[in-house]
Amino acid sequence: MKAELGLLMLIGAAFAVAPAFGESAGVADAIKARHGHFHDMGSDFKAAGDQLKSAAPDLNVVKASAAKVKDAAAQLPSWFPPGTGPESGLKTRAKAEIWKDPQGFSAAAHSFQVATVKLAALTQSSTDLGAIRAQFKATGEACGACHDKYRVPKD
Amino acid sequence: MFPRTEAAPTAEGDGRSLIWDWPTRLIHWLFVLLIAAAYATEKTRHIDWHRWCGYALLALLVFRLYWGVFGFSPSRFSSFVRGPRATLAYLRCLPDRTAAATPGHNPLGALSVIVLLALMLIEVGLGLFTVDVDGIESGPLSDWVSFDVGRACAEAHHFLFYVLLALIVLHLAAIAFYAVYKRENLIGPMLHGKKPVDIAYPPLKFALPRLIGGVVLSVAVTVLVMRAFKI
């Protein structure tokens, strides 16, 4: 009787754990995809920044990069499905605060989105280098504002 | 301008002669300050100040290389860089509890100087191409490379700092070893420049024009790098 109960519990436990195993593959993929998205956003940001650093920037490059950053930013909140934080045990710099403080995280993501929309719009409509450079800087600061709170600093 | 360099060593009257002239000493202590400042500004994410530390270090490195060719003789590479045979011979007498016969750098110390200078040059060089993980902050030459290469430079820049730190620890350990085991004070000469040695180095000729030339060269190189060679 005791043995049977033990076996039943074992089977029950196996069923309870099984979905978690199935999920962990999804979690790993989600984290990997997130890193890919941020990598691409960094690359686009650099492409725009490289131009804006120079005396005679190619504004078409800036415009294209700003549009890509804006599109990516719109998707950004969806890159953080529940379970993809530090509790996953996988390599991620995402802090648990993202899910503990969803309103704060949404607000930070939103202000970043607003900044990227402004930057993209400005590069479409204007060739005023001073204004574009200022908005580029503001967008970078909006990235940083979120990272300060919701990303683990590098050692 | 050059009281120490121009003073005849025998004129000191205390049996000590000048081995480290003030430009060499000043550069040495500025290296100490700037490496500490570069570390602190990076850790506190004052990346603008960190870049300035890098530029200052670059200018000092250029000057030190120049001074290693045109400067006061004990600071010249030709006066202290030795071959493997001399270095091995020196290594063999390292356990002797007597002060080194070489007035300036001994062959092992020379090796340490070369490695430290080379590492600092590579470290500063990598910083020029470094891109941060978000593609926001970057070195002045980062637009020459892709985001991924810039990131690889950042990783190497990060790693190499700890290699440099390890060598600095070794440098300090060597100074302690000479002080305790060999009873030779190496810190004093790096402060006041003088060492109780028999040899008297000839004063540097045209010291002021040489100094000005070096300053102009190092500032020019640094400004060019800062502006990515676009004038």
Side-chain angles (χ1 to χ4, degrees):
Chain A
M1 194 62 188
K2 242 184 181 175
E4 265 170 55
L5 196 70
L7 194 69
L8 258 166
M9 279 170 76
L10 211 71
I11 293 167
F15 271 106
V17 169
F21 271 115
E23 242 169 56
S24 76
V27 165
D29 286 344
I31 290 175
K32 205 177 158 197
R34 179 163 75 218
H35 290 171
H37 292 314
F38 275 111
H39 169 273
D40 294 346
M41 199 144 77
S43 181
D44 289 327
F45 223 81
K46 178 184 181 295
D50 284 349
Q51 291 304 323
L52 294 174
K53 256 201 316 200
S54 85
D58 181 347
L59 285 180
N60 283 323
V61 174
V62 179
K63 201 193 285 185
S65 306
K68 281 203 249 177
V69 170
K70 182 199 76 175
D71 291 345
Q75 301 297 320
L76 189 145
S78 73
W79 302 343
F80 294 88
T84 60
E87 76 278 11
S88 68
L90 298 167
K91 202 181 159 200
T92 174
R93 288 170 69 196
K95 277 191 188 170
E97 276 76 4
I98 294 170
W99 296 275
K100 275 191 214 151
D101 171 27
Q103 280 178 331
F105 181 68
S106 300
H110 182 72
S111 70
F112 173 57
Q113 288 166 339
V114 169
T116 61
V117 168
K118 268 192 200 165
L119 179 67
L122 196 63
T123 57
Q124 294 288 338
S125 63
S126 162
T127 53
D128 178 356
L129 272 177
I132 294 174
R133 283 195 179 113
Q135 186 53 37
F136 180 76
K137 196 164 174 270
T139 309
E141 279 160 8
C143 298
C146 200
H147 295 159
D148 287 344
K149 263 176 128 171
Y150 300 106
R151 185 171 70 179
V152 178
K154 230 176 175 186
D155 52 277
Chain B
M1 278 304 281
F2 263 86
R4 293 190 192 279
T5 303
E6 279 164 1
T10 43
E12 305 279 353
D14 54 1
R16 303 195 303 175
S17 37
L18 184 80
I19 51 161
W20 308 131
D21 64 346
W22 69 261
T24 304
R25 273 146 42 214
L26 184 67
I27 288 170
H28 173 269
W29 294 111
L30 285 175
F31 279 157
V32 175
L33 280 178
L34 284 163
I35 289 172
Y39 178 79
T41 51
E42 199 278 335
K43 281 294 156 200
T44 55
R45 286 189 289 161
H46 290 94
I47 214 69
D48 281 336
W49 297 354
H50 182 75
R51 259 192 294 260
W52 280 109
C53 290
Y55 295 144
L57 279 164
L58 176 63
L60 287 172
L61 283 164
V62 172
F63 188 91
R64 184 60 189 90
L65 294 182
Y66 165 92
W67 211 240
V69 178
F70 302 104
F72 184 44
S73 51
S75 298
R76 288 193 190 184
F77 296 118
S78 61
S79 78
F80 64 76
V81 175
R82 308 291 295 273
R85 188 172 300 179
T87 312
L88 274 175
Y90 181 79
L91 261 177
R92 251 179 250 122
C93 69
L94 199 60
D96 301 349
R97 303 195 68 159
T98 50
T102 43
H105 292 300
N106 64 58
L108 207 56
L111 198 64
S112 154
V113 170
I114 297 299
V115 172
L116 280 167
L117 284 177
L119 257 180
M120 286 168 74
L121 264 177
I122 298 169
E123 180 67 353
V124 169
L126 283 168
L128 301 176
F129 297 95
T130 283
V131 181
D132 79 338
V133 70
D134 307 314
I136 299 171
E137 297 291 353
S138 55
L141 305 183
S142 62
D143 55 340
W144 294 7
V145 298
S146 70
F147 180 67
D148 290 321
V149 171
R151 287 302 300 144
C153 288
E155 300 286 338
H157 186 64
H158 185 85
F159 171 75
L160 215 61
F161 180 77
Y162 291 98
V163 178
L164 185 62
L165 216 53
L167 276 157
I168 291 170
V169 170
L170 184 66
H171 176 63
L172 296 177
I175 290 164
F177 170 75
Y178 276 84
V180 175
Y181 187 80
K182 284 177 166 286
R183 302 260 158 235
E184 190 180 356
N185 176 8
L186 298 180
I187 301 172
M190 196 41 84
L191 290 168
H192 50 65
K194 284 171 283 179
K195 227 173 159 181
V197 287
D198 293 336
I199 189 166
Y201 289 102
L204 187 64
K205 283 179 190 154
F206 310 111
L208 189 60
R210 280 170 195 268
L211 184 77
I212 292 170
V215 171
V216 169
L217 176 77
S218 33
V219 170
V221 169
T222 306
V223 169
L224 274 175
V225 167
M226 283 168 68
R227 309 189 54 161
F229 300 96
K230 286 172 208 133
I231 308 155

